[in-house]
Amino acid sequence: MGEAAAAADPPAPAVETPRGRVAPPMPWRTRLAVVAAGYVTDATRRADGSVNRRLLGVLDKGVPACAAPRNGVASMDLTIDPAHSVRARLFYPSSAGGAALPVVVFFHGGGFAYLSASSPAYDAACRRIARYASAAVLSVDYRRAPEHKFPAAYDDGLAALRFLDDPANHHPVQLDAARCYLAGDSAGGNIAHHVARRCSLDPTAFRNLRLAGLIAIQPFFGGEERTPSELRLAGAPIVNVPRTDWMWRAFLPAGSDRSHEACSPDAAAAGLGEAPEFPPATVVVGGYDPLQDWQRRYCDAMRREGKEVRVLEYPEAIHAFYVFPEFTDAKDLMLRIKEIVAGGGGGQ
């Protein structure tokens, strides 16, 4: 997929249900890719609550890192936590030279259970972020649920920050750990928030690393009740209530409900008023995302704690829109990320 392919495809009609339109018009090729993304999730989810990892590896075949620059960006795989065999993929612009680069620590989406740093969509998205923002991107291949429930993914995010805090790990390019941004989409946006929370509540844990900003792209939060957007957008692509219900069961500790701090936006923000080091946040909200009401509750909860929050609204955006570069909004978000990194934070 790409801009040229999108231009060649005629726009498909909008998806209509008795509840109204649940997705914007899309080229047929994009529609097929969106349907395929949902199929991968449903086809690999077993009735006993486990994931068929072997089948998932076939349907979501990872792409290798590439030391030779592609579209001006090179990549390499690193082990960031040998104790738990946690790896990450580092992307960096080939034009960096000897200058120290700001670094975006990125967490991929997939409901805590799916996808990886090597998934084609995320490899390409991180490559675009590195190119647009003139930054290094460390995409964390965190441990996935249900094999590794809360708090494994958050622990792995902190391990990535500890890795960056050590200048001995800054190769093959120089990284400016004092200009570190946490970013992620969907479940990755949730992880980015909780890693920022942990880091800001214990700022003395890091010698060199400083968080300059948080970029939460359609972050995954929830609760026991159904929100108006979840009801109105039943049948929307990528995300639906049965899928998110399963994902929370897979990730949350046994016996927990969705008032848990990992899930509830109010609980996730609670106490941050005592964390002055928590970075300015930018939250991306899509008009066709069933999770948007939870994302707005998250923004409200953060503001009640006195945190700096900027909201980027994309009324025509589906969940995970930015991994489809043929969407105009996908390019716009890349430009906003570039501005955030260049400006040193971005909340307002």
Side-chain angles (χ1 to χ4, degrees):
M1 288 181 292
E3 293 178 356
D9 290 333
V15 176
E16 299 286 345
T17 73
R19 298 176 183 271
R21 197 170 79 169
V22 297
M26 287 183 274
W28 285 112
R29 193 170 300 183
T30 308
R31 178 74 59 80
L32 289 174
V34 166
V35 171
Y39 171 79
V40 168
T41 301
D42 296 338
T44 56
R45 190 175 66 224
R46 295 191 179 109
D48 65 359
S50 65
V51 173
N52 187 334
R53 295 289 174 200
R54 180 173 295 181
L55 178 59
L56 184 61
V58 173
L59 297 177
D60 178 41
K61 187 174 177 58
V63 297
C66 187
R70 294 202 331 241
N71 294 325
V73 176
S75 61
M76 64 181 297
D77 290 331
L78 306 166
T79 298
I80 59 172
D81 182 4
H84 295 101
S85 301
V86 178
R87 294 174 65 80
R89 180 162 292 183
L90 179 68
F91 300 83
Y92 53 95
S94 56
S95 60
L101 295 171
V103 58
V104 177
V105 179
F106 182 86
F107 302 97
H108 65 81
F112 303 104
Y114 295 93
L115 306 173
S116 70
S118 66
S119 293
Y122 284 110
D123 180 87
C126 289
R127 198 175 296 278
R128 288 194 296 274
I129 292 172
R131 185 172 68 251
Y132 273 86
S134 299
V137 177
L138 187 71
S139 182
V140 182
D141 216 3
Y142 56 86
R143 289 171 291 170
R144 292 169 294 177
E147 298 91 335
H148 303 282
K149 291 178 175 285
F150 167 92
Y154 303 163
D155 292 343
D156 295 346
L158 277 179
L161 299 191
R162 287 193 291 269
F163 179 86
L164 288 173
D165 194 50
D166 184 353
N169 295 323
H170 296 183
H171 59 81
V173 291
Q174 290 297 310
L175 304 175
D176 186 352
R179 290 189 292 161
C180 179
Y181 299 80
L182 296 179
D185 75 305
S186 197
N190 176 299
I191 296 169
H193 164 84
H194 282 283
V195 173
R197 175 190 174 93
R198 288 185 175 195
C199 183
S200 62
L201 289 172
D202 187 15
T204 62
F206 299 95
R207 177 175 297 180
N208 302 301
L209 183 135
R210 297 291 181 273
L211 295 184
L214 167 66
I215 305 168
I217 305 169
Q218 299 173 294
F220 185 24
F221 292 100
E224 294 295 329
E225 75 273 23
R226 303 307 190 206
T227 67
S229 64
E230 287 175 316
L231 297 173
R232 183 177 71 254
L233 294 169
I238 306 291
V239 166
N240 59 39
V241 167
R243 287 173 188 157
T244 57
D245 283 351
W246 183 92
M247 290 165 179
W248 286 122
R249 288 194 299 271
F251 181 64
L252 292 176
S256 299
D257 64 19
R258 289 181 225 177
S259 64
H260 191 277
E261 66 180 88
C263 180
S264 162
D266 293 307
L272 284 180
E274 304 302 317
E277 300 297 322
F278 192 90
T282 299
V283 180
V284 177
V285 178
Y288 285 100
D289 184 356
L291 300 178
Q292 63 187 275
D293 288 345
W294 294 115
Q295 293 153 9
R296 293 192 176 94
R297 289 190 193 185
Y298 166 66
C299 295
D300 291 342
M302 293 271 283
R303 288 173 176 138
R304 285 195 297 271
E305 292 289 333
K307 299 295 106 179
E308 195 174 352
V309 180
R310 174 193 185 193
V311 176
L312 296 179
E313 294 266 7
Y314 291 97
E316 294 296 305
I318 63 171
H319 192 78
F321 72 98
Y322 82 105
V323 303
F324 302 97
E326 56 269 34
F327 284 129
T328 302
D329 288 340
K331 180 175 181 180
D332 184 84
L333 179 57
M334 291 295 154
L335 294 172
R336 303 290 81 77
I337 293 173
K338 175 182 179 180
E339 292 173 355
I340 291 166
V341 173
Q348 66 180 23

